[in-house]
């Protein structure tokens, strides 16, 4: 569809589409929105590496692809290594990599493929300093395999292998802080983002593009199928994740932390706000919710302190 | 330009590194493991000394990532190489399927080493043969010269048929043993092995590709068939490239099974890799002692040289298959393969399997003589004593 120039000028997000209709994501899928924004930010000169995850299916089975960009489908635990290899080959072939006019190499992997099985390859990628962007879309479980817990699954969440039963639920561990592990590598740029805040996400994608070396973005991506949430509530849930400080938006840039919350003055909403539309949390008692709230408070205070000291 | 070889005294591993240099490999991603490490150390040294141009060296954090990064590089269109051994090769296993399935002409050197436990760093073929069904071609080198030649030829073959290839050398027996290797001047290597022209790459931004996508039962089968056909095609290409190599550089590799004094042999020793050097030496000695014996060195195990094996089997009474490997619950792997090839043919020599040299146990000329005596006896009797003989067993 042709978009008139005067309309284009008013848009803060590019009108061009490189992620096409006909993809096979579920209704209300956060990851598919994420892919759309990444392509809007980087355009056709992008090479994706996508491991086993929902996006393998979303992008489409042979001979189709819903992405207008080159894409290498790879094995579950290899995203970090494969984008390293792609970047090395581009350099050997004389391509400009990263930067405004360079080729963008993007690893696009779920939380299971990043926080768990792919963590080693991610660490290797970060430590070696490849010019590429790694985006972990975080839907907090192994969704494509049928909603099993990952290291990124939060306390209290029902999944098929940590079910909530008549007596209790099994997921007693808090969400693994992958972004903290990433920052421990002291890379030039890391950030959290959310599909509920697309302008913020786009800005971070652009910053990742401009910054030489490895960049990492953890994108909060609701999954109505796995979260037992209404398909029209994905954005609202994602927004509440930020507003409750369950998933705060921030950037880490060359040693400095910066919190990018929609309103810095407001105190975070109570965690119940985030939980309310999601069937996966229905097994939680008041005490359980308090446990989660304490964790959120603790992590939020820690982040604020980091931003204060290293801001 | 007239071919004047450059003679260097190098280890098998250095022979591999020089071949990588001369092949103008663009990306090397690798992880250290004994006894492979000196291959990548030498390559890194070339890079540090400015002896190679345009090489991206990616020191990864595991063999699994070494193969994954090599795959990413090859899919992007680069000529890509890695090397490993034993446990490292086993860790790569998943990605070996990926490389072959995505039809990427990667070349890798595997230094044949026994699998643990018990820990061993010595020669044994079980590591590479366990990768038999990954879709990779496999070239077994007898000596350091064949390591060097094998890497150069494998790139050419792999890039013609879009199938990855493994060049396999023995732990320590070749990897760390120095020998004269005739190297080819760079200009002549360039003529033999021009830059890679990939079938597809990830850099066609106007016509993007999605490589390795999901295939439904309606399509998957045909992908496998195409890989099967590529291996068939590879047999032809291997012979052509081997012949061309011989014409250019004097060492002919047009046979997938190298036959040594087999023309009038009553029986032959068949095997792969460095142990066949010992066997050839033993054949010369045994011939002087009156044994009519020969050697059949299987150079390419994948694709398997079935036709050449059949031609050989028609003309001998017995084949002693020497396996430096074992498939538990069965027998030596080459033995199974060789018998399988001949089942539906009219060639039925007596075939006996000798399990030799596992975990680096010495295999000597004297061992070959003892096997010859045993083979002679069973051929005279017309029947096997045992089918699988654990030859070195301390009884």
């Amino acid at each position: 569809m042709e978009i008139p120039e005067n309309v284009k000028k008013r848009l803060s997000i590019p009108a061009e589409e490189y992620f096409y209709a006909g993809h096979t994501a579920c209704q209300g899928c956060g990851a598919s929105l994420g892919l759309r924004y990444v392509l809007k930010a980087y355009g056709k000169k992008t090479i994706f590496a996508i491991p086993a995850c929902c996006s393998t299916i979303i992008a489409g089975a042979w001979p189709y692809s819903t992405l207008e960009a080159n894409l290498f489908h790879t094995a579950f635990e290899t995203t970090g290594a494969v984008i390293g290899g792609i970047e090395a080959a581009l350099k050997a072939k004389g391509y400009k990599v990263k930067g405004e006019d360079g080729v963008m190499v993007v690893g696009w992997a779920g939380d299971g493929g990043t926080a768990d099985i792919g963590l080693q390859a991610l660490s290797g990628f970060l430590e070696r300093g490849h010019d590429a962007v790694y985006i972990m879309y975080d839907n907090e479980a192994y969704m494509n395999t049928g909603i099993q817990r990952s290291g990124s699954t939060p306390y209290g969440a029902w999944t098929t292998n940590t079910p909530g039963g008549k007596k209790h639920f099994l997921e007693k561990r808090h969400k693994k802080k992958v972004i903290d592990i990433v920052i421990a590598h002291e890379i030039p740029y890391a950030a959290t983002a959310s599909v509920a805040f697309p302008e913020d996400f786009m800005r971070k994608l652009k910053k990742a593009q401009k910054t030489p070396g490895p960049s990492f973005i953890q994108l909060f991506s609701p999954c109505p199928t796995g979260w037992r949430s209404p398909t029209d509530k994905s954005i609202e849930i994602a927004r509440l994740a930020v507003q409750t400080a369950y998933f705060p938006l921030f950037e880490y840039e060359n040693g400095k932390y910066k919190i990018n919350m929609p309103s810095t003055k407001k105190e975070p909403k109570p965690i119940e706000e985030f939980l309310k539309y999601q069937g996966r949390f229905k097994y939680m008692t008041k005490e359980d919710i308090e446990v989660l709230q304490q964790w959120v408070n603790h992590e939020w205070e820690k982040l604020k302190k980091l931003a204060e000291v290293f801001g | 330009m007239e071919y004047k070889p450059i003679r260097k005294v190098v280890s098998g591993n250095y022979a591999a590194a020089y071949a990588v240099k001369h092949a103008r490999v663009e990306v090397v991603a690798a992880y250290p493991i004994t006894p492979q490490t000196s291959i990548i150390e030498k390559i890194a040294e070339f890079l540090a000394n400015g002896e190679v141009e345009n090489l991206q060296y990616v020191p990864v954090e595991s063999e699994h990532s070494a193969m994954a990064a090599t795959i990413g590089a090859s899919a992007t269109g680069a000529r890509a190489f890695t090397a490993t051994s034993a446990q490292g090769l086993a860790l790569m296993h998943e990605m070996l399927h990926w490389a072959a399935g995505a039809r990427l002409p990667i070349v890798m050197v595997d230094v044949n080493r026994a699998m643990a436990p018990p820990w061993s760093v010595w020669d044994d073929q079980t590591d590479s043969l366990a990768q038999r069904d990954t879709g990779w071609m496999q070239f077994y080198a007898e000596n350091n010269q064949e390591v060097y030649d094998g890497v150069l030829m494998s790139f050419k073959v792999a890039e013609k048929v879009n199938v990855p290839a493994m060049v396999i050398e023995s732990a320590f027996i070749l990897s760390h043993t120095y020998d004269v290797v005739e190297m080819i001047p760079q200009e002549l290597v360039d003529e033999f092995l021009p830059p890679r022209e990939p079938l597809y790459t990830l850099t066609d931004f106007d016509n993007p590709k999605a490589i390795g996508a999901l295939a439904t039962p309606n399509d998957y089968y045909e992908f496998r068939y195409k890989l099967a056909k590529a291996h068939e095609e590879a047999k032809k290409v291997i012979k052509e490239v081997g012949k061309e190599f011989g014409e250019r550089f004097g060492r002919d590799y047009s046979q997938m099974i190298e036959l040594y004094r087999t023309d009038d042999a009553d029986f032959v020793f068949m095997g792969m890799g460095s142990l066949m050097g010992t066997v050839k030496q033993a054949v010369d000695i045994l011939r002087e002692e009156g044994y009519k014996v020969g050697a059949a060195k299987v150079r390419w195990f994948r694709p398997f040289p079935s036709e050449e094996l059949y031609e050989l089997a028609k003309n001998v009474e017995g084949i002693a298959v020497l396996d430096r490997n074992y498939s538990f619950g069965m027998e030596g792997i080459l033995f199974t393969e060789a018998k399988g090839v001949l089942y539906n043919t009219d060639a039925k020599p007596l075939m006996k399997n000798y399990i030799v040299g596992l975990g680096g146990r010495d295999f000597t000329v004297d061992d070959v003589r003892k096997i010859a005596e045993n083979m002679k006896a069973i051929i005279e009797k017309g029947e096997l004593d045992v089918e699988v003989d654990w030859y070195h067993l301390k009884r």
Side-chain angles (χ1 to χ4, degrees):
Chain A
M1 186 183 71
E2 275 300 308
I3 294 149
E5 283 304 316
N6 63 335
V7 175
K8 271 191 191 177
K9 272 183 196 155
R10 292 203 300 275
L11 299 174
S12 61
I13 291 174
E16 287 78 12
E17 292 290 355
Y18 303 102
F19 177 72
Y20 291 119
H23 64 79
T24 51
C26 305
Q27 284 183 22
C29 169
S32 56
L33 272 178
L35 269 173
R36 184 172 169 227
Y37 294 134
V38 172
L39 277 160
K40 278 177 181 285
Y42 297 151
K44 285 158 69 170
K45 233 164 123 181
T46 302
I47 302 175
F48 277 99
I50 300 184
C53 63
C54 294
S55 298
T56 313
I57 309 301
I58 295 170
W62 187 86
Y64 304 108
S65 175
T66 195
L67 314 181
E68 194 172 339
N70 286 285
L71 161 59
F72 191 77
H73 289 273
T74 189
F76 209 174
E77 65 281 44
T78 61
T79 311
V82 166
I83 56 177
I86 292 171
E87 180 247 30
L90 287 171
K91 287 188 169 165
K93 292 276 175 199
Y95 286 89
K96 182 175 186 299
V97 188
K98 259 200 170 186
E100 289 283 8
D101 54 344
V103 179
M104 287 303 296
V105 182
V106 180
W108 173 266
D111 49 290
T114 304
D116 300 340
I117 196 169
L119 191 62
Q120 175 180 309
L122 169 64
S123 175
F125 158 73
L126 297 171
E127 162 254 316
R128 289 190 301 272
H130 294 283
D131 285 320
V133 181
Y134 191 118
I135 304 170
M136 162 187 170
Y137 67 97
D138 187 3
N139 52 33
E140 305 196 320
Y142 289 84
M143 295 308 182
N144 196 34
T145 308
I147 322 164
Q148 292 81 29
R149 82 171 292 274
S150 79
S152 196
T153 300
Y155 177 88
W158 161 93
T159 70
T160 55
N161 66 341
T162 55
K166 283 178 182 151
K167 207 168 169 192
H168 53 84
F169 58 83
L170 299 185
E171 187 54 63
K172 300 288 187 189
R173 302 167 195 87
H174 288 293
K175 187 176 172 74
K176 189 190 281 189
K177 299 291 289 287
V178 176
I179 188 87
D180 290 356
I181 298 170
V182 168
I183 290 170
H185 291 76
E186 298 192 346
I187 60 166
Y189 186 70
T192 59
S194 167
V195 294
F197 297 90
E199 290 89 353
D200 178 74
F201 181 36
M202 291 291 290
R203 185 179 62 76
K204 287 168 176 172
L205 287 167
K206 287 288 184 190
K207 197 170 252 184
Q209 183 176 26
K210 276 184 220 139
T211 311
S215 311
F216 177 89
I217 297 175
Q218 182 171 347
L219 177 71
F220 194 75
S221 310
C223 169
T225 310
W227 294 5
R228 299 297 193 244
S229 57
T231 54
D232 60 350
K233 291 287 183 200
S234 292
I235 298 301
E236 193 173 336
I237 292 169
R239 194 182 298 129
L240 285 166
V242 174
Q243 289 170 341
T244 56
Y246 169 79
F247 193 90
L249 298 179
F250 73 97
E251 285 169 295
Y252 170 87
E253 201 176 352
N254 296 316
K256 289 192 187 320
Y257 284 80
K258 189 179 177 195
I259 297 173
N260 331 103
M261 294 300 262
S263 171
T264 45
K265 285 177 194 147
K266 278 187 195 160
E267 277 300 302
K269 293 180 178 177
I271 192 67
E272 283 97 328
E273 288 291 301
F274 169 64
L275 308 179
K276 65 184 177 189
Y277 297 120
Q278 303 181 55
R280 62 174 172 157
F281 293 116
K282 73 176 182 186
Y283 302 92
M284 290 171 84
T285 61
K286 266 203 164 352
E287 293 75 39
D288 296 323
I289 292 169
E290 187 51 31
V291 171
L292 185 60
Q293 182 70 67
Q294 288 307 318
W295 178 81
V296 170
N297 293 351
H298 178 261
E299 295 297 321
W300 176 232
E301 289 305 318
K302 200 165 78 184
L303 181 64
K304 281 198 293 186
K305 201 82 180 162
L306 282 166
E308 195 184 306
V309 178
F310 302 106
Chain B
M1 183 177 162
E2 199 197 337
Y3 171 50
K4 277 195 202 128
I6 302 154
R7 291 188 175 83
K8 278 187 197 290
V9 179
V10 289
S11 67
N13 279 357
Y14 283 6
Y18 274 101
V20 168
K21 177 183 171 183
H22 293 159
R24 297 192 189 274
V25 169
E26 293 161 296
V27 177
V28 173
Y31 189 74
I33 182 172
T34 302
Q36 171 270 128
T37 313
S38 55
I39 298 177
I40 54 164
E41 283 173 347
K42 191 70 182 169
I43 292 169
E45 191 184 305
F46 289 146
L47 189 63
N49 291 336
E51 289 179 58
V52 286
E53 297 157 25
N54 205 33
L55 170 72
Q56 292 286 321
Y57 171 60
V58 189
V60 286
E61 81 296 338
S62 76
E63 286 91 350
H64 196 280
S65 285
M67 186 44 62
T70 309
I71 284 168
S74 188
T76 312
R79 183 170 283 162
F81 174 87
T82 189
T84 191
S85 188
Q87 312 298 129
L89 185 63
L91 184 58
M92 281 181 183
H93 172 77
E94 180 200 15
M95 298 316 290
L96 299 187
H97 283 280
W98 217 281
R103 305 295 300 276
L104 300 171
I106 295 161
V107 171
M108 164 165 65
V109 168
D110 174 55
V111 185
N112 256 166
R113 166 186 147 180
M115 297 299 296
W119 278 114
S120 168
V121 293
W122 295 277
D123 187 26
D124 187 303
Q125 297 163 340
T126 308
D127 63 341
S128 54
L129 289 172
Q131 310 307 328
R132 185 186 65 175
D133 302 329
T134 55
W136 282 59
M137 298 186 283
Q138 291 197 347
F139 174 95
Y140 284 80
E142 179 195 324
N143 50 41
N144 296 357
Q145 183 69 57
E146 290 194 358
V147 174
Y148 177 83
D149 296 348
V151 170
L152 294 179
M153 278 188 289
S154 291
F155 270 116
K156 183 146 180 162
V157 174
E159 289 171 13
K160 276 180 188 282
V161 294
N162 294 294
V163 175
M166 226 179 267
V167 176
I168 296 142
E169 57 160 324
S170 308
F172 297 105
I173 295 168
L174 300 188
S175 69
H176 285 65
T177 304
Y178 282 66
D179 198 356
V180 177
V181 172
E182 289 195 352
M183 297 190 188
I184 303 162
Q186 184 66 59
E187 299 77 22
L188 294 182
V189 177
D190 291 344
E191 278 176 25
F192 172 73
L193 186 67
R196 181 184 163 201
E197 288 177 25
L199 202 58
Y200 57 78
T201 74
L202 296 170
T203 51
D204 187 352
F205 298 107
D206 292 323
N207 185 20
K209 308 276 188 298
I211 300 167
L214 176 85
T216 64
N218 201 34
D219 298 314
Y220 183 88
Y221 193 85
E222 280 67 27
F223 276 91
R224 296 284 109 174
Y225 177 72
K226 284 186 170 183
L227 181 53
K229 291 302 281 183
H231 269 263
E232 279 304 311
E233 172 73 10
K235 287 188 186 182
K236 203 170 102 240
V237 173
I238 283 167
K239 287 171 196 166
E240 285 166 7
V241 169
K243 186 164 176 280
E244 185 195 345
F245 197 90
E247 283 163 2
R248 284 177 185 263
F249 311 121
R251 291 181 295 278
D252 184 278
Y253 288 90
S254 58
Q255 293 177 321
M256 293 174 73
I257 301 179
E258 185 195 336
L259 301 176
Y260 185 76
R261 303 185 77 166
T262 58
D263 280 351
D264 61 338
D266 292 336
F267 64 93
V268 296
F269 307 97
M270 194 166 86
M272 304 191 292
S274 65
L275 65 83
M276 294 310 288
T278 306
V279 169
K280 283 191 208 165
Q281 190 192 353
V283 163
D284 290 344
I285 295 165
L286 289 167
R287 282 264 172 185
E288 282 178 22
E289 293 173 7
Y291 287 93
K292 284 170 79 179
V293 290
K297 180 176 84 187
V298 176
R299 265 194 192 119
W300 291 89
F301 179 74
R302 281 290 180 274
F304 196 78
S306 309
E307 301 79 5
E308 290 181 32
L309 175 63
Y310 172 64
E311 287 304 316
L312 167 72
K314 272 200 305 195
N315 300 315
V316 295
E317 290 176 56
I319 302 179
V321 181
L322 311 174
D323 269 307
R324 196 165 207 154
N325 63 77
Y326 190 73
S327 175
F328 295 98
M330 191 59 180
E331 57 203 6
I333 295 167
L334 180 59
F335 186 59
T336 306
E337 302 269 325
K339 278 194 307 177
V341 164
L342 299 176
Y343 183 83
N344 275 338
T345 70
D346 52 9
K348 296 277 191 293
L350 268 177
M351 293 181 73
K352 183 169 169 179
N353 191 194
Y354 297 87
I355 307 299
V356 300
L358 299 186
R361 183 71 56 89
D362 270 349
F363 181 70
T364 64
V365 168
D366 199 44
D367 295 323
V368 186
R369 179 185 284 111
K370 283 179 188 146
I371 289 169
E373 286 165 9
N374 180 240
M375 277 300 287
K376 195 173 176 213
I378 60 177
I379 287 169
E380 277 168 6
K381 206 176 169 196
E383 62 180 81
L384 293 173
D385 41 5
V386 289
E387 193 175 23
V388 183
D389 193 341
W390 282 70
Y391 173 77
H392 301 284
L393 212 57
K394 294 170 194 158
R395 296 173 204 267

